[in-house]
Amino acid sequence: MQVGKPILYSYFRSSCSWRVRIALALKGIDYETMPISLIKDGGQQFSKEFQAVNPMKQVPALKIDGITIGQSLAIIEYLEETRPTPRLLPQDPKKRASVRTISDLIAGGIQPLQNLSVLKQVGQENQLTWAQNAITSGFSALEQILQSTAGRYCVGDEVSMADLCLVPQVANAERFKVDLTPYPTISRINKTLLALEAFQVSHPCRQPDTPAELRA
Amino acid sequence: MQVGKPILYSYFRSSCSWRVRIALALKGIDYETMPISLIKDGGQQFSKEFQAVNPMKQVPALKIDGITIGQSLAIIEYLEETRPTPRLLPQDPKKRASVRTISDLIAGGIQPLQNLSVLKQVGQENQLTWAQNAITSGFSALEQILQSTAGRYCVGDEVSMADLCLVPQVANAERFKVDLTPYPTISRINKTLLALEAFQVSHPCRQPDTPAELRA
């Protein structure tokens, strides 16, 4: 492993890992992937080794510049402050507030309620409904917010941290068979973003740990 | 209501509202409180009027400078960018990353799992255990992280956004009867912070909507 290269602890299907992979791709940051399977060995995130990396026992975590950051939005904000080009937060503080509102809505208001560890607690027979409720409730709010913030992307016409949260969350919605018809703005922006190279190279179907049968 | 004064939509017991009240107090920003009871009328956050303010149907929301921000950390970051003194994020990007990691751990990894709307879905008989699990799992990670970040407060010796998240979360832990003995660093920092005036004036027991029997 090359000294000094950032290391991303990542799971191909983790939506929070995908957010960070998009940021790294957009900013052109070369990195190594250290796959942490949330499935194998009863969950490799629970290993002693990984707990020393991230006490929350969650992916992603990024080792960079001599520190380790273990929350996806904190990672993206750090990359933005230390590698500002291209920017992922607008210059205007009001637009930055819109970007962070949308990011926090997804990262705090939707994803935590439908992640693997919570669904395990909910029990197999309730998982799908539980995840669908969390997503549709958040997407209804998001669709309304986007009416006043969106241009080509979530906030205006520049790709921002909000977009990095949106696309992986829509992928989760599709996995949980959420009907996206009531969210035309979310769907339109998602489709536009998926055409960008940074969203494609970071896609779950193209990671070092993607199983052969899911590769594309 | 005075024109131009920020309006905070708040519920006295909401830990996310408390975070923002501390920020407003520390920065000396005068504001009006618009109480939104999460209990009365089946939850006033579900009213048509409030949904127009915050489509997520959650408190807090802050009307300020002609915009409305509906996520507590996005509000605090906006206040920091537009009213930088006293600062709630350190100058060093690595320390800022620590502050945001702790803030996101609480705001994304603990609070959403033990908020009122989730506990309702879990069912009365499981609520206490569910909330306790979410908090102890997050606090175990946080206690470990604080070993390398804490000084007098969560990150070094200056009050930061992380501290604004910590104190309200500890109050929730106490409400849910979590044994705090395994978290001596969390307990020590919480106690130190509670002695500060900004944490006292913003306390749930001293808000315009605090019921008489809970006032102190």
Side-chain angles (χ1 to χ4, degrees), chain B residues 18 22 106 139 142-143 146 150-154 159 162-174 180 183-196 199-200 203:
Chain B
W18 191 6
I22 304 167
I106 296 171
F139 274 13
L142 183 54
E143 181 71 20
L146 290 172
R152 187 168 172 80
Y153 304 118
C154 283
V159 174
D163 300 300
L164 277 51
C165 295
L166 183 79
V167 168
Q169 187 58 59
V170 172
N172 281 354
E174 289 169 342
L180 293 172
Y183 318 112
T185 317
I186 291 175
S187 302
R188 191 256 303 159
I189 296 171
N190 179 62
K191 197 178 159 191
T192 309
L193 288 163
L194 278 173
L196 303 179
F199 288 74
Q200 292 181 356
H203 195 282

Side-chain angles (χ1 to χ4, degrees), chain A:
Chain A
M1 194 164 297
Q2 199 179 317
V3 174
K5 227 184 203 183
I7 300 170
L8 179 67
Y9 297 82
S10 168
Y11 179 54
F12 75 104
R13 192 137 70 180
S14 145
S15 64
C16 304
S17 299
W18 190 6
R19 291 174 198 155
V20 174
R21 295 196 302 257
I22 303 168
L24 292 164
L26 283 168
K27 288 179 180 290
I29 302 167
D30 193 23
Y31 68 97
E32 304 256 358
T33 299
M34 182 73 78
I36 301 294
S37 171
L38 306 187
I39 305 291
K40 279 184 212 161
D41 312 327
Q44 295 173 341
Q45 75 275 27
F46 300 117
S47 73
K48 274 253 153 60
E49 293 75 15
F50 187 69
Q51 281 189 52
V53 173
N54 185 6
M56 270 302 267
K57 307 171 211 168
Q58 291 173 342
V59 287
L62 184 71
K63 273 199 185 177
I64 188 166
D65 303 338
I67 58 170
T68 305
I69 315 175
Q71 291 281 335
S72 63
L73 297 190
I75 294 171
I76 295 168
E77 295 264 8
Y78 177 79
L79 294 177
E80 182 72 1
E81 291 181 346
T82 56
R83 281 100 171 148
T85 310
R87 65 168 179 242
L88 297 176
L89 284 167
Q91 280 182 301
D92 172 29
K94 293 183 184 178
K95 288 192 180 155
R96 292 164 77 89
S98 293
V99 168
R100 290 199 177 104
T101 296
I102 293 169
S103 303
D104 290 350
L105 187 162
I106 295 172
I110 305 179
Q111 193 282 331
L113 300 177
Q114 52 91 82
N115 80 6
L116 194 59
S117 65
V118 168
L119 294 183
K120 271 188 194 160
Q121 288 181 66
V122 168
Q124 189 112 38
E125 70 283 14
N126 302 317
Q127 286 184 0
L128 193 67
T129 311
W130 177 284
Q132 288 175 340
N133 285 346
I135 295 169
T136 56
S137 156
F139 273 13
S140 299
L142 184 53
E143 181 72 20
Q144 191 176 328
I145 289 168
L146 290 172
Q147 303 311 308
S148 57
T149 65
R152 187 168 172 79
Y153 305 118
C154 282
V155 179
D157 296 323
E158 283 180 27
V159 173
S160 73
M161 180 164 70
D163 300 301
L164 278 50
C165 295
L166 183 79
V167 167
Q169 186 59 59
V170 172
N172 281 354
E174 289 168 342
R175 270 178 61 213
F176 291 118
K177 304 183 201 311
V178 170
D179 172 18
L180 292 172
T181 319
Y183 318 111
T185 317
I186 292 175
S187 301
R188 191 255 304 158
I189 296 171
N190 179 62
K191 196 177 160 191
T192 309
L193 288 162
L194 279 173
L196 303 179
E197 192 191 350
F199 288 74
Q200 292 181 355
V201 297
S202 60
H203 195 282
C205 73
R206 263 173 229 113
Q207 297 313 300
D209 57 334
T210 308
E213 67 275 20
L214 296 175
R215 291 195 159 271

